[in-house]
Amino acid sequence: EQALGNVKTYLDGIRALFTKYAITGADPALAALEKQFTAYEAWMRGTVLPTARTETILPPELYALQLKQVGIDIPPLELLQRARLAFMETRAQMQQMAPLVARAKGIDATDYREVLKALKRETIPNDQLEARYRVVIDQIDPIIRQQRIVDVPNRPMVMRLGTPAESAAQPAPHFKPAPLVGNTGQQGQFILPTSNPAVDGEGYDDFNHPAVVWTLSAHEGRPGHELQFTAMVERGVSLARTLFAFNSVNVEGWALYAEAEMVPYEPIEGQFIALQFRLMRAARAMLDPMLNLGLITREEAGRILREDVGLSEAMTRQELDRYTFNAPGQAGSYFYGYARILELRAETEVALGSKFDRLAFNNFLLDQGMLPPDLLAKA
């Protein structure tokens, strides 16, 4: 139903691109496409939907397989147990930090939920978002170099706002990689949506306040996804390791690890939001299995995301849709991938002692491409 509801949004978005780039002669093809979309929508509604399941709960064996396909190589209940502990610990860390953030920002509150709401009220208008993100993005590269976190290219990264059609297709911040095969200089793009069309056009308040810009830029940009995918193109990582070993745990684990590497060098409100995002990743790894195994209702999961994690209604809807039908199992890959990298780093630091070099370690991780955790540890 949600995908079919986006048909007109996609058509309008495609047409808008032909207009934007002044490409003529496409009208017959676009008319044919609209006719095909309309026929497909009618067929889906008349033939497929009457036979569809009425609930999103997956059979346990199928859900366990979903986890393996995104790189989570432990049973669902073990993932749930680990994530539940991390959720409680991270929430406690946010509560410990909340009074410090409140004092620094002049907020009359001490509960982390109220401090978070106050930070979100400082909204950046949509027409200023890209410029505000660019200010922080330009500050991050020098910090990465000065602190010897990882090697970064000597050119700016690309960031832009998502179109309505892009927001309908993927209603969350994401990175659109450049071609990994036959790249002739194209760069990947950090894309920021401003609304979730599935929630009647309601906007986010999760990504448009100053405190969030640091951690989101570190995750989607540098030293996160942008650097990860750029490194594969520019450092000559093999096609086997870029395409056929592509692994969500490794991809998202690196981006969350990159967030954590930047936290000590961010303003205190940025550090606070980094913890909120880490809380969201633990919530994902906890709620995704619970929803798919029938251990919690969608309504209760939504309450946790809104009240404990502090997500907007638009982001909560995006998260619940993600766990239940857009990509069951995938959302837990952030938490699990991050945990596996931390395990590997701890093992390496213990083994090397004073010889451990963070810059060398992080560059080595990027040089390996998209390896699953066990193969990465072996390397």
Side-chain angles (χ1 to χ4, degrees):
E1 285 286 358
Q2 192 177 107
L4 295 177
N6 285 333
V7 165
K8 185 178 185 304
T9 304
Y10 294 149
L11 282 168
D12 291 345
I14 293 168
R15 283 200 170 95
L17 288 172
F18 279 93
T19 301
K20 177 180 178 179
Y21 293 102
I23 298 172
T24 58
D27 289 344
L30 289 170
L33 183 65
E34 182 171 3
K35 186 177 179 181
Q36 291 167 359
F37 274 14
T38 303
Y40 176 75
E41 181 180 0
W43 175 78
M44 284 289 289
R45 291 192 183 281
T47 305
V48 177
L49 284 182
T51 67
R53 288 181 292 135
T54 56
E55 60 179 23
T56 61
I57 297 172
L58 292 175
E61 298 84 358
L62 183 56
Y63 181 65
L65 180 62
Q66 289 281 104
L67 293 187
K68 288 182 179 178
Q69 289 178 331
V70 299
I72 300 174
D73 53 11
I74 57 176
L77 289 178
E78 185 178 343
L79 175 67
L80 165 57
Q81 186 178 20
R82 292 189 190 185
R84 196 161 47 197
L85 174 62
F87 181 86
M88 298 300 288
E89 289 184 329
T90 308
R91 192 175 66 176
Q93 287 178 285
M94 287 192 71
Q95 185 54 54
Q96 291 164 14
M97 184 179 256
L100 302 177
V101 177
R103 192 178 310 131
K105 300 296 290 181
I107 297 169
D108 184 19
T110 54
D111 183 81
Y112 81 90
R113 299 168 184 85
E114 296 304 317
V115 173
L116 182 57
K117 288 176 184 176
L119 290 175
K120 284 185 166 192
R121 282 195 284 269
E122 191 181 345
T123 304
I124 304 171
N126 285 352
D127 60 356
Q128 298 176 25
L129 265 175
E130 194 170 334
R132 292 290 290 273
Y133 267 82
R134 175 55 59 190
V135 169
V136 170
I137 286 168
D138 290 344
Q139 288 178 296
I140 287 178
D141 271 12
I143 294 173
I144 296 172
R145 293 189 182 96
Q146 289 163 9
Q147 300 299 329
R148 301 186 74 252
I149 296 174
V150 68
D151 289 334
V152 291
N154 286 314
R155 53 171 171 68
M157 57 167 277
V158 178
M159 179 267 172
R160 63 176 176 82
L161 302 184
T163 66
E166 286 175 314
S167 297
Q170 196 163 349
H174 59 280
F175 183 74
K176 183 179 179 181
L180 296 175
V181 180
N183 189 295
T184 56
Q186 298 95 327
Q187 285 184 244
Q189 301 176 349
F190 163 22
I191 299 175
L192 183 71
T194 56
S195 66
N196 181 351
V199 195
D200 298 324
E202 183 176 335
Y204 293 100
D205 66 6
D206 308 273
F207 319 121
N208 61 352
H209 58 93
V212 76
V213 176
W214 284 90
T215 197
L216 195 55
S217 296
H219 182 99
E220 301 294 350
R222 295 176 187 169
H225 287 318
E226 195 271 352
L227 181 58
Q228 186 179 39
F229 282 91
T230 297
M232 286 192 290
V233 173
E234 297 186 352
R235 300 185 188 189
V237 176
S238 72
L239 290 182
R241 288 179 180 229
T242 55
L243 297 178
F244 308 116
F246 188 98
N247 181 282
S248 189
V249 161
N250 187 266
V251 174
E252 300 300 350
W254 166 263
L256 186 46
Y257 172 74
E259 281 184 39
E261 286 286 79
M262 289 301 300
V263 167
Y265 317 109
E266 297 172 357
I268 191 168
E269 66 274 16
Q271 297 180 24
F272 183 72
I273 297 300
L275 277 179
Q276 186 218 3
F277 272 42
R278 201 175 302 169
L279 184 69
M280 178 177 68
R281 276 50 173 266
R284 285 174 171 173
M286 176 177 72
L287 297 175
D288 194 303
M290 292 181 75
L291 282 164
N292 282 288
L293 298 177
L295 301 176
I296 195 172
T297 65
R298 181 181 170 106
E299 290 71 28
E300 180 60 16
R303 185 198 65 77
I304 292 171
L305 291 171
R306 282 189 301 271
E307 296 181 11
D308 289 334
V309 183
L311 301 183
S312 66
E313 188 60 46
M315 186 64 178
T316 297
R317 171 68 179 268
Q318 185 274 144
E319 289 292 304
L320 294 172
D321 290 351
R322 181 179 191 162
Y323 312 157
T324 51
F325 60 82
N326 279 333
Q330 191 274 339
S333 61
Y334 297 73
F335 169 80
Y336 188 65
Y338 174 59
R340 291 298 300 266
I341 291 177
L342 287 188
E343 289 171 9
L344 182 58
R345 177 157 168 178
E347 184 181 351
T348 308
E349 287 195 30
V350 170
L352 293 179
S354 60
K355 295 180 182 178
F356 177 78
D357 184 331
R358 176 170 70 170
L359 178 66
F361 177 82
N362 290 342
N363 278 332
F364 185 87
L365 290 182
L366 288 182
D367 288 341
Q368 300 312 302
M370 298 298 185
L371 291 187
D374 284 348
L375 289 180
L376 184 61
K378 184 178 178 181

